[in-house]
Amino acid sequence: MPVVLIVEDEPDVAETYNLWLADEYEVRMAQSGDEGLAELDETVDVVLLDRMMPGLSGDEALERIRERGLDCRVAMVTAVEPDFDILEMGFDAYLCKPIRSEQLHETVENLLKRSQYDDLLQEYYSLVEKQATLEATKSTAELADNEAYVDLRDRVDNLETDLGDTLGGIDDDEDFIATLRGLSDVEE
Amino acid sequence: MSRSSDTEAVYDLTDVLEFDALESVRSGSNILVSGPAMSGKEDLALSLLADGASDGQGTLAVTTGDSAMNVIDDVLERAPDGGPSTVSAVDCRGDGSRRGEATESGSYVYHVSSPGDLTGIGIGITECLEYLHNNGADSGRFALTSLSTMLTYTDRKAVFKFCHVLSSRFDSAGYLGVFTIDSSAHDDQTLQVIKQAFDGMIEIRDNDSRREARVLGLAGQPSDWREF
C-alpha cells in the first residue's frame, strides 16, 4: 500500500483527510513541519504539506525534504490560490482549501503515477544502456542470434509502450516540469 | 492541450534537405542531427526552424552557445515572412537566474542559469510554448543546440531521460523536435544510448569540403549520403 504523510496542524482537518484516504493508503499524520520531517523516510510516497503552520512553514519543510534527496512527491495545501509560480517553488502539486475528497484522491493518484513514470523511465534507461553495450561489442550477425539481445529489444519496446500509457505520455505542464525536476542533481 | 493522435500534423522538411524520408515527418517526432565539429549542424537546425517560421509555424530554440537574441535574429533573417511574435528562445548560457521576457520586437526569451538546469529549461519551454500558442501558433518546430554542451554539465542518463520526456511533451504539443550533437565529442556508447531517445537521425559529414547528409530511422531504409 502506498504511504501518504499528512502534515497539518489542525487535527480535525488532518483526521478528515485520513478518513478519506485510509481505505486505499497507509496514512501517517504529523502536526507540524518538524514532526513531519521526523516521520519522513524513504517509504513515504506522497506528502500533503500544509503551507501555513506555526513553527517550520510548508515552504521551509519542502526545502528540507528536497535537501534530504528523498524522491517522495509533495503537494502543498494552501488556503489561498498561490500567486506565485508553484512549479518554480519545487512543489509537485497544490490543493486549495477547502479540499473535497475526490480532489484529494485525484491528486494523490496523479502523484503516484508520476513516481511510476519515473521508475519506468529509469528501467527503460538501464535497458537501453545494456542494449548499447551489446551493440558496441558484437556484430549485427552475432546480435541476431543472441537470445539475451533479442529479449532485451522486446523489453525496450514494451517499456516504450508503458511509458506512453502512463500519464498519457506527458501532456500536462505540471507533470512535465515535475518529471524534469527528478532527473538531475544540479543545484538550482 | 490535445494529444497528437487528434491532430496528426506532418512536417515537410524537403525544402531544407531533399530526402524522401523527410517529406512527411509525423508531428511529435524527435530528430537527432549528428556530425563532427564544424560540419554545419547548428546551421541545419536553424534552417529547419526558419523553414517552419516562414510558414507561420511556431519556433522554439534552446541554445547553449549563442545568445537567444542572435538565434532569434538569425531565424527571422532567414525567414523574412515569419513574424517575431511566434519566435522564441531559451537561453542556457547562464547569464543570471531564471526569468522570461518579451523582447522589444515581440519575440519571447527565457533565461536559464546553466545548460545543466533541466528543470529551468523545462519551465522555459513551457512558457515559450504558451507564448507561441497565445500568438496563434498551435504547432511548430523546436531545436536544441547542443546536447554536447549539456552532456558536459550533466550525465548521459539525465540527458537521455530529458530527451525522452521532451519527446513525450512535443508529441502532445504537436511539435517537431531537432537536437544537435557533436559526434566527435563523445564515445560510441554514449552516442548509441542518446540515439535511442530519438525517432530518427540526420547524419552529416564533410567530404572534401562538400557537406553531405543522410537520413536514418524516419522512413524506410537508411538513405545514401547526398550533398546539401
Side-chain angles (χ1 to χ4, degrees):
Chain A
M1 224 186 234
V3 179
V4 178
L5 172 63
I6 298 168
V7 187
E8 166 64 65
D9 61 316
E10 293 174 61
D12 293 353
V13 176
E15 191 48 47
T16 308
Y17 300 163
N18 180 25
L19 281 172
W20 287 340
L21 296 174
D23 281 349
E24 286 173 59
Y25 307 103
E26 182 190 327
V27 179
R28 295 184 203 164
M29 293 197 276
Q31 289 198 8
S32 69
D34 285 312
E35 225 179 274
L37 287 171
E39 280 288 327
L40 194 63
D41 55 35
E42 53 283 343
T43 63
V44 175
D45 297 291
V46 172
V47 183
L48 297 176
L49 190 59
D50 189 51
R51 184 148 190 246
M52 298 295 261
M53 287 180 295
L56 200 65
S57 75
D59 296 357
E60 289 163 335
L62 175 74
E63 210 170 296
R64 304 270 179 89
I65 293 170
R66 297 295 184 218
E67 275 168 14
R68 278 167 61 178
L70 295 164
D71 64 355
C72 59
R73 298 293 183 178
V74 185
M76 180 182 68
V77 181
T78 167
V80 284
E81 187 86 22
D83 58 350
F84 45 81
D85 194 340
I86 193 77
L87 304 172
E88 297 258 16
M89 287 196 58
F91 285 99
D92 296 301
Y94 71 89
L95 285 157
C96 280
K97 288 181 175 180
I99 302 170
R100 288 174 296 110
S101 165
E102 193 186 321
Q103 245 183 325
L104 187 60
H105 276 280
E106 255 173 41
T107 302
V108 172
E109 270 163 42
N110 178 261
L111 293 178
L112 290 172
K113 277 207 192 109
R114 284 190 200 163
S115 302
Q116 196 192 342
Y117 184 93
D118 289 350
D119 292 346
L120 285 173
L121 191 55
Q122 174 56 36
E123 198 186 338
Y124 182 58
Y125 175 76
S126 28
L127 293 184
V128 163
E129 197 163 58
K130 273 187 205 151
Q131 186 183 330
T133 309
L134 283 176
E135 283 168 354
T137 51
K138 293 188 193 306
S139 72
T140 316
E142 280 175 320
L143 289 173
D145 289 337
N146 187 314
E147 232 172 82
Y149 178 74
V150 175
D151 181 51
L152 198 56
R153 290 287 298 260
D154 280 348
R155 287 167 68 199
V156 167
D157 286 347
N158 287 340
L159 269 173
E160 270 175 29
T161 313
D162 291 350
L163 278 166
D165 290 345
T166 310
L167 293 171
I170 298 264
D171 60 0
D172 175 90
D173 286 340
E174 275 182 40
D175 289 340
F176 175 57
I177 304 295
T179 306
L180 291 181
R181 188 183 300 122
L183 297 190
S184 73
D185 303 313
V186 175
E187 286 293 316
E188 294 176 6
Chain B
M1 220 171 266
S2 68
R3 304 218 46 216
S4 63
S5 47
D6 307 330
T7 49
E8 280 303 340
V10 290
Y11 293 91
D12 181 353
L13 310 179
T14 51
D15 279 348
V16 180
L17 270 184
E18 225 190 307
F19 285 95
D20 291 346
L22 298 179
E23 202 178 331
S24 61
V25 180
R26 197 182 58 83
S27 82
S29 299
N30 265 357
I31 302 173
L32 185 65
V33 175
S34 166
M38 308 301 287
S39 55
K41 299 178 294 294
E42 266 89 38
D43 189 56
L44 176 61
L46 285 175
S47 297
L48 288 169
L49 286 183
D51 181 51
S54 57
D55 271 350
Q57 294 168 13
T59 299
L60 170 45
V62 172
T63 164
T64 60
D66 243 351
S67 79
M69 278 322 296
N70 276 350
V71 172
I72 288 173
D73 289 346
D74 202 336
V75 167
L76 287 170
E77 233 166 76
R78 293 170 195 228
D81 301 337
S85 70
T86 48
V87 179
S88 63
V90 178
D91 192 323
C92 313
R93 292 171 312 144
D95 51 351
S97 55
R98 294 175 189 167
R99 66 183 190 282
E101 67 209 354
T103 66
E104 270 177 38
S105 55
S107 299
Y108 193 80
V109 174
Y110 191 89
H111 296 267
V112 175
S113 58
S114 121
D117 179 8
L118 305 183
T119 314
I121 296 173
I123 293 171
I125 289 171
T126 302
E127 289 199 8
C128 286
L129 286 177
E130 197 185 345
Y131 188 87
L132 300 177
H133 172 78
N134 290 340
N135 287 318
D138 279 324
S139 63
R141 301 181 187 184
F142 167 92
L144 184 149
T145 55
S146 77
L147 289 175
S148 294
T149 314
M150 286 181 73
L151 280 161
T152 63
Y153 282 84
T154 182
D155 60 15
R156 79 168 175 225
K157 180 167 79 176
V159 172
F160 172 87
K161 289 180 175 180
F162 175 78
C163 293
H164 186 90
V165 174
L166 240 58
S167 142
S168 304
R169 187 72 193 87
F170 293 143
D171 203 7
S172 32
Y175 268 64
L176 172 80
V178 177
F179 298 65
T180 65
I181 193 162
D182 180 347
S183 55
S184 49
H186 313 286
D187 58 67
D188 286 349
Q189 208 192 353
T190 298
L191 289 171
Q192 195 63 29
V193 166
I194 296 295
K195 240 192 272 180
Q196 189 71 31
F198 291 86
D199 302 294
M201 182 157 82
I202 299 172
E203 267 186 329
I204 32 187
R205 69 177 182 193
D206 244 344
N207 191 5
D208 272 346
S209 78
R210 286 183 314 165
R211 274 183 187 171
E212 295 185 326
R214 65 169 178 172
V215 180
L216 303 94
L218 283 173
Q221 295 296 310
S223 74
D224 292 329
W225 289 99
R226 193 177 296 166
E227 192 175 356
F228 73 101

